[in-house]
């Protein structure tokens, strides 16, 4: 027989090869093979067998890497769907599921331990009891089911997750627990160990290649019953998958930023259907798309409206910075926030300060001529980082030394403007010299161990103040935090993206949820220049439903998700004129093919140059993805001018 092979290349084509002499053909379910392709030797995937060799002479496979199929029928079917839905080749989809870099070493089966709770069952509230009963019955039924768990912060969602996992284990089924960030895995691992008393499988981008292959093998063989992971864990080869939980489902980090640009929640829906598993999406601020689907009946909506132990929601106050709310000229903290921090110290409590910008200063500009220092490779300002005294581009990573001389007018008028986490820490240290302060942002938690250490240190009260970006909004549980201060939430309000109001509301609601999770009622102070904005007003009232109803009306009026699908096309390349011509051709082609579909552009992208490449953008709005995907598949087969690339993002979460 002839082997049908696909490769992780943009060309969506099946290639044919002979098997090496003396090598019997394996079962065609995605084993990796090493084969010649052009003048390269590349790892591909066996997807089928056919009789005969045809008229053309065929090359031979050099090596069949895997002894047996690595994935079963459901995951194999998922790879076909992934390729079709997200407009990538079948080989690229399989490479996302079965990484070519997976190892081949075989590990002894672990000693099977009883996977039973070691902690006494929690005493559920009536709301929790009703929900856990429904999820348990869904698992026992053994069919696919979709749920959206909408619970305010500190309402006991994690305990419900634990009970759902316990129900799946009792039915001898595996469970997958997804979190949006690696940094959150430390906290959740401790919860899972406390609940079940056994090691769980861990899957994210920072584990070693050896750990990755070991977890993959043990999951495939059913030797691991529970995996905690980030988005790529949705592709693990579970043998008896019964439960998928996606915590903090509103987080945009569940969207893959490289090809195939999948949305984890959508993939999980398809996986749950194929595996007859239960899917639970959980959040205090669900994405508008998920909440709309729940109201339309696609998901079963489960509500937790009260905090555990009847704890009160935090009090939220707004400081109008237009009225001179700053503590002193140039200061970042208002009098109100400073007084509340003082009270925290007096009561031996902790506080969190959130500013969703890292670095020290956001802009370096010239007082005399107005020149702004920008990255030489990107159309964005350089950010000053005081910790290592460099100007840094947050997109391409370019670092430059600091200077006080303007490159344009040669005056010594360069000044720093704007604030980030580093500047906030400096002001806090000046005001409270004895305070123990930690900073949590991308610069300080690049390694998972750093995040774990910082989480444990703050939870054990080895620090008084935790300063950070939106990382602090993602499900942390600190029982001694009584105060949360939010600085400059306005920065995200007016971005040219239809989700900007939703992002701001989610940030405010999520960080507010970090306060008052212990015995003391929490307080939240929001410093803003736009106190009357609807998203800020809804956050003050801690009223998700009001925000949803306001925002959904705007989405309906302007035909944005969830009332339509978006496809964001980015054309990028080294030559601006060439990129523009390709963008104009693609736009014209799509408009000719689909006269009734709304196609916006082409136009320069908001960030029109990144890492030295020029970027043009086309936005497609359609109620039916299929015909547009067919046209895009044909475009993928065309050879673009050298150095030009088409990026297809179906259901984008970021239009910048």
């Amino acid at each position: 027989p002839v082997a049908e092979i696909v490769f992780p290349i943009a060309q969506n084509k099946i290639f044919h090869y002979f098997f090496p002499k003396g090598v019997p053909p394996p079962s065609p379910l995605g084993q990796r093979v090493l084969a010649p392709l052009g003048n390269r030797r590349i790892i591909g995937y066996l997807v089928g067998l056919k009789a005969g060799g045809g008229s053309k002479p065929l090359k031979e496979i050099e090596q069949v890497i895997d002894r047996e199929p690595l994935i079963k029928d459901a995951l194999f079917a998922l790879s076909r769907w992934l390729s079709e839905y997200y407009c990538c080749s079948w080989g690229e989809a399989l490479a996302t599921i079965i990484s070519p870099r997976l190892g081949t070493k075989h590990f002894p089966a672990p000693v099977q331990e009883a996977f039973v709770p070691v902690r006494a069952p929690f005493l559920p509230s009536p709301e929790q009891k009703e929900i856990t009963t429904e999820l348990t019955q869904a698992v026992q039924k053994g069919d696919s089911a979709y749920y959206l768990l909408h619970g305010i912060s500190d309402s006991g969602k994690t305990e419900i997750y634990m009970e759902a996992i316990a129900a799946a284990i009792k039915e001898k089924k595996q469970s997958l627990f997804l979190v949006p960030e690696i940094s959150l895995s430390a906290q959740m691992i401790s919860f899972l160990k406390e609940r079940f008393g056994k090691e769980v499988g861990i899957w994210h981008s920072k584990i070693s290649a050896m750990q990755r292959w070991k977890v993959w093998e043990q999951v495939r063989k059913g030797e691991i019953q529970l995996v905690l992971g980030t988005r790529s864990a949705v592709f693990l080869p579970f043998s008896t998958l019964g439960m998928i939980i996606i915590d903090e489902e509103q987080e945009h980090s569940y969207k893959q930023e490289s090809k195939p640009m999948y949305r984890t929640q959508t993939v999980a829906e398809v996986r749950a259907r194929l595996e007859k598993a239960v899917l639970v999406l959980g959040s205090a601020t669900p994405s508008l798309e998920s909440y709309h689907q729940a109201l339309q009946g696609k998901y079963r909506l489960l509500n937790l409206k009260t905090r555990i132990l009847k704890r009160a929601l935090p009090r939220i106050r707004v400081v109008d910075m237009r009225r001179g709310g700053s503590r002193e000229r140039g200061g970042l903290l208002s009098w109100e926030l400073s007084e509340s921090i003082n009270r925290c110290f007096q009561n031996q409590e902790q506080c969190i300060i959130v500013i969703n910008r890292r670095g020290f200063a956001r802009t370096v500009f010239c007082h005399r001529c107005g020149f702004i220092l920008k990255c030489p490779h990107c159309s964005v300002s350089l950010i000053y980082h005081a910790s290592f005294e460099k100007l840094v581009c947050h997109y391409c990573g370019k670092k430059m030394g600091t200077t006080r001389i303007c490159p344009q007018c040669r005056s010594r008028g360069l000044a720093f403007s704007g604030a980030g986490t580093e500047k906030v820490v400096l002001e806090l240290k000046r005001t409270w010299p004895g305070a123990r302060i930690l900073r949590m942002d991308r610069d300080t938690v690049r390694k998972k161990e750093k995040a774990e250490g910082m989480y444990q240190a703050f939870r054990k009260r080895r620090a008084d103040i935790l300063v950070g970006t939106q990382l602090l909004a993602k499900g942390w549980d600190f029982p001694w935090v009584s105060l949360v201060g939010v600085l400059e939430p306005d920065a995200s309000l007016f971005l040219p993206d239809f989700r900007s109001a939703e992002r701001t509301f989610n940030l405010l609601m999520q960080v507010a949820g970090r306060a008052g999770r212990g015995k003391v009622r929490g307080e939240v102070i929001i410093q803003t220049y736009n106190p009357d904005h609807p998203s800020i007003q809804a956050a003050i009232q801690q009223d998700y439903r009001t925000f949803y109803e306001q925002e959904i009306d705007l989405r309906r009026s302007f035909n944005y998700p969830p009332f339509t699908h978006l496809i964001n096309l980015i054309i990028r390349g080294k030559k601006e004129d060439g990129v523009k011509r390709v963008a104009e051709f693609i736009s014209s082609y799509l408009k000719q093919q689909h006269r009734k579909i709304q196609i916006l552009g082409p136009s320069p992208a908001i960030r029109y140059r990144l890492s030295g490449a020029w970027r043009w953008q086309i936005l497609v709005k359609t109620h039916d993805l299929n015909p547009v995907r067919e046209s895009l598949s044909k475009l993928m087969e065309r050879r673009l001018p050298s150095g030009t690339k088409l990026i297809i993002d179906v259901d984008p979460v970021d239009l910048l």
Side-chain angles (χ1 to χ4, degrees), residues 363-374 391 401-417:
T363 307
V364 182
F365 70 100
C366 178
H367 273 303
R368 176 172 293 179
C369 69
F371 179 79
I372 296 175
L373 266 66
K374 292 186 176 181
L391 296 169
T402 57
T403 177
R404 288 286 180 177
I405 300 175
C406 174
Q408 182 163 284
C409 70
R410 309 306 298 173
S411 71
R412 298 185 63 84
L414 285 185
F416 298 128
S417 175

Side-chain angles (χ1 to χ4, degrees), residues 119-346:
R119 179 165 57 84
F122 78 113
L123 186 62
S125 68
E127 286 180 329
Q128 288 176 311
K129 186 174 182 179
E130 183 179 347
I131 292 171
T132 54
T133 298
E134 182 164 347
L135 293 179
T136 298
Q137 290 174 349
V139 172
Q140 292 170 343
K141 186 177 178 182
D143 203 354
S144 58
Y146 310 126
Y147 294 91
L148 176 63
L149 177 57
H150 179 207
I152 62 173
S153 65
D154 199 28
S155 59
K157 293 187 293 294
T158 301
E159 287 289 358
I160 289 175
Y161 299 151
M162 301 298 150
E163 291 298 303
I165 291 167
I169 291 168
K170 190 174 181 180
E171 295 295 317
K172 301 189 184 319
K173 294 180 180 179
Q174 295 167 298
S175 296
L176 172 62
F177 194 134
L178 294 176
V179 292
E181 294 282 347
I182 295 171
S183 57
L184 283 177
S185 62
Q187 174 180 262
M188 201 54 68
I189 288 168
S190 66
F191 289 160
L192 293 170
K193 285 182 178 178
E194 181 186 357
R195 179 69 171 84
F196 297 109
K198 182 181 176 179
E199 295 292 327
V200 300
I202 307 298
W203 184 272
H204 51 69
S205 60
K206 301 300 183 183
I207 62 175
S208 68
M210 181 70 75
Q211 288 173 303
R212 184 174 293 269
W213 178 240
K214 186 174 183 179
V215 171
W216 174 278
E217 278 279 85
Q218 291 176 344
V219 166
R220 185 172 67 90
K221 293 176 180 178
E223 296 168 354
I224 290 180
Q225 292 170 296
L226 172 60
V227 174
L228 175 72
T230 50
R231 61 177 177 263
S232 61
V234 76
F235 298 115
L236 283 172
F238 293 96
S239 56
T240 58
L241 184 61
M243 171 67 64
I244 304 174
I245 295 168
I246 303 183
D247 192 29
E248 305 291 350
E249 75 86 26
Q250 83 286 348
E251 284 296 332
H252 291 178
S253 51
Y254 282 121
K255 175 73 172 180
Q256 173 74 5
E257 295 180 352
S258 57
K259 194 176 181 182
M261 303 177 77
Y262 63 86
R263 179 176 176 264
T264 307
Q265 297 91 324
T266 307
V267 175
E269 285 179 29
V270 178
R271 183 96 197 253
R273 174 173 55 80
L274 293 170
E275 303 272 11
K276 297 188 181 302
V278 175
L279 170 64
V280 180
L281 308 179
S283 176
T285 55
S287 66
L288 261 72
E289 290 90 335
S290 294
Y291 198 75
H292 181 76
Q293 288 176 331
L295 295 182
Q296 297 299 308
K298 181 176 181 180
Y299 302 146
R300 172 90 163 90
L301 182 60
L302 307 173
N303 286 300
L304 287 171
K305 298 179 181 179
T306 57
R307 281 185 152 190
I308 58 173
L309 303 177
K310 298 182 179 179
R311 291 173 185 155
L313 287 170
R315 293 182 292 266
I316 298 182
R317 291 195 289 156
V318 168
V319 177
D320 187 348
M321 300 300 285
R322 298 172 302 181
R323 299 176 179 175
S326 59
R327 188 164 179 259
E328 58 184 33
R329 186 175 181 181
L332 299 174
L333 307 180
S334 64
W335 282 104
E336 292 87 344
L337 182 53
S338 297
E339 288 302 308
S340 292
I341 292 173
N342 281 329
R343 282 196 296 272
C344 271
F345 287 136
Q346 292 168 6

Side-chain angles (χ1 to χ4, degrees), residues 38-63:
N39 57 5
R40 296 182 293 166
R41 298 165 68 246
I42 188 171
I43 291 177
Y45 301 89
L46 179 63
V47 296
L49 299 174
K50 60 178 268 186
S55 58
K56 293 183 179 180
L58 300 179
K59 296 179 180 180
E60 276 193 0
I61 292 170
E62 293 187 11
Q63 180 187 358

Side-chain angles (χ1 to χ4, degrees), residues 4 18 23 56 81-82 85 134 182 195-196 201 204 207 217 333 336 349 357 439 452 486 508 579 641:
E4 295 182 320
F18 284 130
V23 176
K56 293 183 179 180
W81 171 87
L82 190 70
Y85 191 91
E134 182 164 347
I182 295 171
R195 179 69 171 84
F196 297 109
H204 51 69
I207 62 175
E217 278 279 85
L333 307 180
E336 292 87 344
E349 296 159 359
R357 293 170 168 176
R439 175 166 62 91
E452 291 177 4
V486 186
L508 294 175
V579 170

